[in-house]
Amino acid sequence: MFEYELAGLASRGLAWGIDLGVMAGLVALASIVFSLFGLVLAGFAKALYFVALFAIQWGYGAFLEWRWAGQTVGKRVLGIRVLSAGGVPIGFGQAALRNLLRLLDILPGAYLVGAISVLCDARARRFGDMAADTVVVRTRRSERPAEIVAPADRYNSFASVPWLAHAARTITAPERDAMLGLAFRRERLPLAVRHELFAKLARHLE
């Protein structure tokens, strides 16, 4: 069993505001590009511009959430992400569906329907999340290690000791299986039995 902390309405709203800014920048860039292209083919450039608008408005969130571990630029800045309701990464179909149904959640304006849905649902889902079976959660942050060391110095390995390396090569498959089996089961064994079995194994290996 595991659990995630659900993202609140405020963080989701701020993330959406950042994403709107990014999309506005992309729309402005597309406008400049197709206006220049329109000097040659005016009608065709205008049609492509409207296709680009739809691709930006719908595809921005769908593509980034699919390829960027459930995050857009705004979600990454605010430290939230979209996951499947089961706690695993979302697929393209889920990302596409939840972003397509944003058209419903944004009604009648200022995301009113979606905001009410998030506040009323036990898992803080808007209608797009319900349809796609997704949830928006806070990302878990872990502290960086105090010191980064080279892989060769990170492990306590005796492979460089000649006589131990030779001894390791002489271990048979049944002996290896016995050592691994005992190591994996050690916590389930009574202490006395554990001591007895490890001592017997140590005497055999010696």
Side-chain angles (χ1 to χ4, degrees), residues 5 8 30 45 71-72 77 94 116 129 150:
E5 180 185 356
Q71 291 183 309
T72 58
V77 172
Q94 290 174 296
I116 294 174
D129 290 314

Short mmCIF file of all heavy atoms in Angstrom, two decimals, residues 5 8 30 45 71-72 77 94 116 129 150:
data_model
loop_
_atom_site.label_atom_id
_atom_site.label_comp_id
_atom_site.label_asym_id
_atom_site.label_seq_id
_atom_site.Cartn_x
_atom_site.Cartn_y
_atom_site.Cartn_z
N GLU A 5 0.11 12.65 -1.81
CA GLU A 5 -0.56 13.87 -1.34
C GLU A 5 -1.19 14.55 -2.55
O GLU A 5 -0.52 14.88 -3.52
CB GLU A 5 0.45 14.81 -0.68
CG GLU A 5 -0.19 16.10 -0.17
CD GLU A 5 0.84 17.06 0.39
OE1 GLU A 5 2.04 16.70 0.44
OE2 GLU A 5 0.45 18.19 0.77
N GLY A 8 -3.56 20.71 -4.38
CA GLY A 8 -4.69 21.57 -4.07
C GLY A 8 -5.09 22.44 -5.25
O GLY A 8 -4.41 22.52 -6.27
N ALA A 30 3.81 31.44 -33.32
CA ALA A 30 3.14 30.90 -34.50
C ALA A 30 2.55 32.01 -35.35
O ALA A 30 2.57 31.94 -36.59
CB ALA A 30 2.04 29.93 -34.06
N ALA A 45 -1.69 29.73 -45.44
CA ALA A 45 -1.04 30.09 -44.19
C ALA A 45 -2.06 30.33 -43.09
O ALA A 45 -1.85 29.96 -41.93
CB ALA A 45 -0.18 31.33 -44.38
N GLN A 71 3.87 15.94 -16.29
CA GLN A 71 4.06 17.35 -15.96
C GLN A 71 4.08 18.22 -17.20
O GLN A 71 4.53 17.80 -18.27
CB GLN A 71 5.38 17.54 -15.19
CG GLN A 71 5.37 16.96 -13.79
CD GLN A 71 6.66 17.25 -13.05
OE1 GLN A 71 7.74 17.00 -13.55
NE2 GLN A 71 6.55 17.79 -11.85
N THR A 72 3.60 19.44 -17.03
CA THR A 72 3.81 20.51 -18.00
C THR A 72 4.82 21.47 -17.38
O THR A 72 5.32 21.22 -16.27
CB THR A 72 2.49 21.24 -18.27
OG1 THR A 72 1.98 21.75 -17.03
CG2 THR A 72 1.45 20.30 -18.89
N VAL A 77 7.11 23.56 -12.33
CA VAL A 77 7.48 24.70 -11.48
C VAL A 77 6.81 24.60 -10.12
O VAL A 77 7.42 24.88 -9.08
CB VAL A 77 7.11 26.03 -12.17
CG1 VAL A 77 7.30 27.21 -11.23
CG2 VAL A 77 7.96 26.23 -13.42
N GLN A 94 -4.74 8.73 -21.82
CA GLN A 94 -5.21 9.46 -20.64
C GLN A 94 -4.85 10.94 -20.72
O GLN A 94 -5.67 11.80 -20.40
CB GLN A 94 -4.59 8.84 -19.39
CG GLN A 94 -5.11 7.46 -19.05
CD GLN A 94 -4.37 6.85 -17.89
OE1 GLN A 94 -3.16 6.59 -17.98
NE2 GLN A 94 -5.06 6.61 -16.79
N ILE A 116 -15.15 23.75 -9.16
CA ILE A 116 -16.18 23.17 -8.30
C ILE A 116 -16.02 21.67 -8.21
O ILE A 116 -16.15 21.06 -7.13
CB ILE A 116 -17.59 23.54 -8.83
CG1 ILE A 116 -17.82 25.05 -8.71
CG2 ILE A 116 -18.67 22.77 -8.09
CD1 ILE A 116 -19.12 25.51 -9.33
N ASP A 129 -10.19 14.55 -15.30
CA ASP A 129 -9.51 13.52 -14.51
C ASP A 129 -10.41 12.31 -14.29
O ASP A 129 -9.95 11.17 -14.33
CB ASP A 129 -9.08 14.09 -13.16
CG ASP A 129 -7.94 15.09 -13.28
OD1 ASP A 129 -6.98 14.80 -14.02
OD2 ASP A 129 -8.02 16.16 -12.66
N ALA A 150 32.41 8.59 -6.82
CA ALA A 150 32.51 7.76 -8.02
C ALA A 150 31.91 6.38 -7.75
O ALA A 150 31.99 5.88 -6.62
CB ALA A 150 33.97 7.64 -8.45
#
